[in-house]
Amino acid sequence: MPGKNGQERCRKMEKQELRSGFTTGTCAAVAAKAAAAMLLTGSELQHMTLMTPKGRSADLPLFHVVLKQEKAVCAVKKDAGDDPDVTHQAMVFASVQYSYKNEEGQTGGIYRRDGEEGKDPLFLTAGEGIGWVTKPGLSCPVGMPAINPVPRDMIFCGVEEARKEAGFDGSLTITIWMPEGKKLAEKTFNSRLGIEGGLSILGTTGIVKPMSEEALIATIRLELHMKAVSGKKQVILVPGNYGEAFIQETLGLDLKDGVICSNFIGEALQSAGEEGFHQILFAGHIGKLIKTAGGVPNTHSKYGDRRMEILWDCTAPFSEDRDGLKEKILTANTMEEAAGILKSLGILEPVMKEVVDRIQGYMTLWSGGRKVEVVTFSTMYGILGMSRGAMELIGLFSGTESGRKEQEE
């Protein structure tokens, strides 16, 4: 049971509890599944249910329902809960039609999902208000609609469910669009990332968690406090879903030993130090952690984005600026792209060692001098860098011999 301070924090959090919502990926998948079901059954629907990757069911009402002989259309209104999302209340449309036909004004860029044995493929594209990828390094290929991999899978799976229930084996084409997308995209960083013409269809869990800074920081502090009062002396910190998946799938660790700290890296480390944790393992994607190598404690984009400048500062000692390397790094679209450039020149390893050393230095400072070990990775190249004691601390969490040795010492 938590002590008096912990109970008081719990009461405060109960008062501050915020409502979660659904991602644009969930909205698109629900709309697509509903449109497919209407087309294949010939019956109009008022709502549709779909299971999100997080395991939460989304039962959402449908708007602008249109059912024709060859095509069905409907929309889902984006509900971001209490999160200040620019897409809150925006309509996400989906149409489903037989075979493949270009929408009006559509010039190509088709995702394809092969059907199970005996079934024809499904096709997915985008229309008005959905961005198109123009630069390498993103989750979607150049020349394709900015519908990220998880939402893409959700859309295909939802339509496949509808197709299976209707006993239909033929091809279907799904088109996603957002009439307000182009205007809303002006409030995002899409154009800087090379996504032109609209928004991205996003989401890794299907759920939007509210982003009130005060509430999130209070939650992080409370989670760390509860682990501390239970007697734990070591803790894992990860920024979000990518870090959580990485420690589980690559490092073989369990998030029961960890806390998700979102962008609030400095606050989380300070709190971990104040709670008396002796050792902290911080694992995160290089796209976020590179900012901490420049001494940035909050990695949200509203506090600035100097990722490539920081990376170049770490790269310069190992480069004679061959082939205009500085310009290549500074103009790279993503950290994945930049890592590929460094790898091609054979200097990725020493640069990442410098990056990790700087990250570790700042994190140690923010934690009040606690022992902080760092692991950073990329989705394309895996582990990019680890601090010297990271493996021993990983072993401690996993219960291996190296970890037991460190615990005894």
Side-chain angles (χ1 to χ4, degrees), residues 236-238 242-255 257 281-285 373-377 382-387 390-400:
I236 302 170
L237 292 175
V238 296
Y242 286 135
E244 180 180 1
F246 173 77
I247 67 166
Q248 292 173 336
E249 298 168 9
T250 303
L251 302 184
L253 303 181
D254 196 320
L255 198 62
D257 295 313
L281 177 66
F282 202 108
H285 190 280
E373 301 296 346
V374 178
V375 182
T376 189
F377 64 93
I383 294 176
L384 294 175
M386 304 177 69
S387 58
M391 279 306 300
E392 288 185 345
L393 189 50
I394 291 168
L396 174 60
F397 283 112
S398 63
T400 63

Side-chain angles (χ1 to χ4, degrees), residues 211 213 263 288 291 296 298-305:
M211 285 293 290
E213 288 198 5
N263 294 302
K288 189 171 290 289
K291 295 184 180 182
V296 180
N298 188 315
T299 55
H300 194 283
S301 57
K302 71 180 182 181
Y303 295 106
D305 184 6

Side-chain angles (χ1 to χ4, degrees), residues 224 227-228 232-235 272 275-280 370:
L224 287 166
K227 282 180 167 47
K232 292 186 179 297
K233 299 300 181 184
Q234 296 83 24
V235 69
E275 292 291 354
F277 288 99
H278 295 168
Q279 297 163 300
I280 303 164
R370 302 294 178 177

Side-chain angles (χ1 to χ4, degrees), residues 56-164:
R56 174 178 164 186
S57 178
D59 188 355
L60 304 180
L62 305 176
F63 300 85
H64 306 288
V65 174
V66 177
L67 176 57
K68 298 180 180 179
Q69 186 175 359
E70 295 291 325
K71 181 179 179 180
V73 179
C74 65
V76 169
K77 183 183 289 186
K78 167 72 179 288
D79 180 0
D82 289 325
D83 187 72
D85 192 312
V86 297
T87 60
H88 181 58
Q89 298 295 297
M91 289 290 184
V92 183
F93 281 79
S95 70
V96 176
Q97 56 193 8
Y98 293 112
S99 188
Y100 171 66
K101 298 177 182 177
N102 271 331
E103 289 293 302
E104 184 177 351
Q106 176 63 10
T107 58
I110 311 299
Y111 293 108
R112 171 179 172 141
R113 169 70 64 87
D114 289 332
E116 298 173 1
E117 186 175 353
K119 291 188 177 182
D120 293 332
L122 298 175
F123 300 96
L124 171 63
T125 189
E128 179 187 7
I130 304 301
W132 291 73
V133 178
T134 65
K135 294 181 180 180
L138 299 174
S139 299
C140 305
V142 172
M144 298 296 283
I147 304 175
N148 274 19
V150 172
R152 209 154 64 222
D153 187 62
M154 291 173 67
I155 292 167
F156 276 129
C157 288
V159 171
E160 183 58 50
E161 285 180 25
R163 185 166 72 161
K164 185 175 182 180

